[in-house]
């Protein structure tokens, strides 16, 4: 078994027994990148000298004091890094070097992690990307906007990688690439030093190939302490309950009718496996106001992009047509319409939180089908932006196969600040054998169009 095949949790165990070193782990990932990346194009920036400098620094650390000691991390190219460029998926920002680390990068380096390089993002973390390919079928999209991070994890080029989600940019790539994705509660991971697109929606998160790695990354990258009132009350002081009975709601979201029959059938068969004395499962209907969330999300999203990218728009060059169109739509939205949408988001978030008092976990399809053919093909609408809009923690679970035996994920959603309860739920499903540990996939170059 190659070191690059291991999860982060497995690598930490090997490090504890001195059966490997951070340098050997990094070298295994580098060799995997050299072998695989020419087929999938997951990396935007990769510099072995920068990796060597980090290894030299952590070589001075006491291993037991650093929870991510020697673990390689792929970084979506919207996070500031002091030792690498941050291009944000746009030639307008080619070779931009911010000169500092995003807060979350600082937390991870402080935990002993090694930033292996920057992964490909869609243009300004929105929609357009035509570079990274899905390793399960090179003719298909890996999902956007955290495309490179998802592919880097799926192929074993790195055990964990960072993403971000303003609509479905973690959940969708995780579903299409057959790995775990985790978007915590809005605001629990610090956004300082990360590309801003929409103040009330942008949320950070990550990808992994095991449930244990999700918990590992969550603890290392989140905020802690009494200065963060709700985090301190509900996450810092969370206590796991042995033999907890999870109240699970199986839902059909407002875009359910657009999902393929094969995806619906696979979802129904997987839900039938949720049988245990600790799993109390029922079919539930979402509150009616969820039917209009897609429209409200679009008002907030388009107006915010039109504000934050007005300078790039004014240049009228080196911008994709889809991004240009979004900004034009945003410019037509009035200030009053935008403020009404923000108030609606705030009110509906509170109302949904109260509704969730009856459930611990909601389960539904993560995407409508397998990854679409073509790198720039539009996705079929799904429910991901609903959970993002409401600020809820979401895990994407790699448990289904579609008509062509390609991955489709399931979303597990919990109440705000119930991130640790959601992770406990996933650990319980893993113990039952319902959730797998994912092995890296090697692309078949013959599937390239």
């Amino acid at each position: 078994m190659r070191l690059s095949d291991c999860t982060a949790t497995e690598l930490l165990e090997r490090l504890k027994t001195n059966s490997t070193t951070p340098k050997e782990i990094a070298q295994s990932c580098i060799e995997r990148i050299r072998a695989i990346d020419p087929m999938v194009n997951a990396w935007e920036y990769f510099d072995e000298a920068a990796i060597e400098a980090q290894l030299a620094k952590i070589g001075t650390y006491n291993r037991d004091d650093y929870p991510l000691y020697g673990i390689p991390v792929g970084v979506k190219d919207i996070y500031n890094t002091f030792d690498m460029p941050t291009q944000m998926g746009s030639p307008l920002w080619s070779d931009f070097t911010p000169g500092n680390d995003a807060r979350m990068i600082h937390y991870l380096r402080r935990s002993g992690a090694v930033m292996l390089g920057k992964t490909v993002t869609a243009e300004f973390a929105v929609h357009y990307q035509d570079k990274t390919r899905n390793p399960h079928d090179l003719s298909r999209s890996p999902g956007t906007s955290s495309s490179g991070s998802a592919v880097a994890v799926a192929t074993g080029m790195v055990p964990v990688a960072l993403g971000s989600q303003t609509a479905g940019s973690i959940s969708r790539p995780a579903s299409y690439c057959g790995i775990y994705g985790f978007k915590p509660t809005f605001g629990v991971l610090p956004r300082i030093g990360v590309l801003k697109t929409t103040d009330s929606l942008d949320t950070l998160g990550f990808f992994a190939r095991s449930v244990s790695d999700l918990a590992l990354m969550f603890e290392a990258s989140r905020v802690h302490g009494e200065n963060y009132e709700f985090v301190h009350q509900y996450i810092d002081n969370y206590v796991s309950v042995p033999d907890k009975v999870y109240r699970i709601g199986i839902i059909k979201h407002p875009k359910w009718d657009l999902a393929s029959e094969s995806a619906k059938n696979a979802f129904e068969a997987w839900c039938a496996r949720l049988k245990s004395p600790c799993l109390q499962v029922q079919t539930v209907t979402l509150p009616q106001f969820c039917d209009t969330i897609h429209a409200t999300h679009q008002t907030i999203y388009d107006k915010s992009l039109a504000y934050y990218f007005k300078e790039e728009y004014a240049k009228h060059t080196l911008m994709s047509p889809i991004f240009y169109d979004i900004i034009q739509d945003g410019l037509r939205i009035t200030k009053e319409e935008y403020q009404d949408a923000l108030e609606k988001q705030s009110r509906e978030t509170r109302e949904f939180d109260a509704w969730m008092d009856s459930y611990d976990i909601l389960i539904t399809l993560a995407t409508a089908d397998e990854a679409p053919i073509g790198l720039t093909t539009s996705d079929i609408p799904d429910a991901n932006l609903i959970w993002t809009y409401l600020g809820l923690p979401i895990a994407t679970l790699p448990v289904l196969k579609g008509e062509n035996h390609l991955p489709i994920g399931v979303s597990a959603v919990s109440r705000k600040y119930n991130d640790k309860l959601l992770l406990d739920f996933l650990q319980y499903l893993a113990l039952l054998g319902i959730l797998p540990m994912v092995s890296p996939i090697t692309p078949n170059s013959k599937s390239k169009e």
Side-chain angles (χ1 to χ4, degrees), residues 243-262:
D243 300 323
K244 174 175 173 55
V245 175
Y246 293 97
R247 301 165 300 165
I248 301 170
I250 307 293
I251 59 168
K252 295 180 179 178
H253 55 73
K255 303 296 181 183
W256 186 260
D257 289 345
L258 300 176
S260 70
E261 287 305 312
S262 58

Side-chain angles (χ1 to χ4, degrees), residues 248-435:
I248 301 170
I250 307 293
I251 59 168
K252 295 180 179 178
H253 55 73
K255 303 296 181 183
W256 186 260
D257 289 345
L258 300 176
S260 70
E261 287 305 312
S262 58
K264 293 176 187 174
N265 292 337
F267 176 72
E268 185 177 346
W270 185 80
C271 289
R273 298 181 63 193
L274 299 175
K275 291 180 179 177
S276 158
C278 290
L279 301 178
Q280 190 179 87
V281 181
Q282 60 180 310
T283 300
V284 300
T285 302
L286 289 174
Q288 193 170 7
F289 66 75
C290 291
D291 293 349
T292 61
I293 284 179
H294 280 75
T296 313
H297 180 284
Q298 185 171 352
T299 298
I300 296 170
Y301 190 52
D302 291 359
K303 186 65 176 177
S304 295
L305 290 176
Y307 173 77
Y308 281 119
F309 294 93
K310 53 181 177 290
E311 292 182 10
E312 287 82 356
Y313 173 79
K315 294 177 182 175
H316 281 224
T317 183
L318 299 178
M319 181 179 281
S320 71
I322 188 172
F323 198 81
Y324 191 83
D325 290 345
I326 290 173
I327 292 184
Q328 285 193 316
D329 290 341
L331 290 172
R332 286 190 283 268
I333 297 169
T334 67
K335 184 176 75 173
E336 290 73 22
E337 289 171 331
Y338 177 65
Q339 289 174 332
D340 287 346
L342 287 178
E343 289 174 6
K344 191 167 185 277
Q345 181 192 15
S346 180
R347 181 178 69 253
E348 291 175 346
T349 297
R350 291 193 302 272
E351 291 176 5
F352 197 87
D353 187 63
W355 181 83
M356 277 290 287
D357 190 45
S358 301
Y359 311 102
D360 294 310
I361 305 290
L362 301 178
I363 300 283
T364 194
L365 278 170
T367 50
D369 203 354
E370 301 168 331
I373 295 174
L375 301 188
T376 58
T377 304
S378 298
D379 298 291
I380 301 171
D382 50 45
N384 287 308
L385 68 75
I386 294 177
W387 320 128
T388 309
Y389 172 95
L390 297 169
L392 306 174
I394 316 163
T396 308
L397 317 178
V399 292
L400 308 183
K401 295 290 185 184
E403 187 176 8
N404 300 295
H405 208 62
L406 297 174
I408 302 174
V410 163
S411 290
V413 184
S414 192
R415 195 174 183 179
K416 285 186 77 174
Y417 301 105
N418 273 359
D419 303 67
K420 284 195 169 183
L421 182 142
L422 175 56
L423 290 169
D424 276 356
F425 171 70
L426 302 186
Q427 290 284 9
Y428 181 68
L429 293 189
L431 285 173
L432 292 179
I434 296 175
L435 292 185

Side-chain angles (χ1 to χ4, degrees), residues 213-231:
D213 283 7
L214 296 183
L216 192 68
M217 286 293 289
F218 180 64
E219 275 308 293
S221 55
R222 72 177 178 88
V223 297
H224 294 72
E226 295 180 2
N227 287 338
Y228 305 94
E229 181 181 355
F230 291 108
V231 171

Side-chain angles (χ1 to χ4, degrees), residues 15 46 98 134 140 144 151 218 234 306 318 358 389 403 429:
L15 287 162
F46 174 69
N134 191 313
R140 293 177 185 256
T144 62
V151 172
F218 180 64
Y234 297 107
L318 299 178
S358 301
Y389 172 95
E403 187 176 8
L429 293 189

Side-chain angles (χ1 to χ4, degrees), residues 37-88:
D37 200 49
M39 288 187 279
V40 295
N41 301 319
W43 295 88
E44 188 65 51
Y45 183 85
F46 174 69
D47 178 6
E48 293 187 35
I51 298 170
E52 285 292 334
Q54 293 177 77
L55 289 171
K57 186 173 184 180
I58 69 168
T60 66
Y61 294 173
N62 180 352
R63 180 191 65 204
D64 296 337
D65 295 336
Y66 296 85
L68 292 179
Y69 179 80
I71 297 301
V73 176
V75 180
K76 182 177 180 178
D77 195 25
I78 62 168
Y79 289 70
N80 285 1
T81 42
F82 83 91
D83 52 354
M84 308 174 199
T86 304
Q87 184 170 309
M88 299 170 282

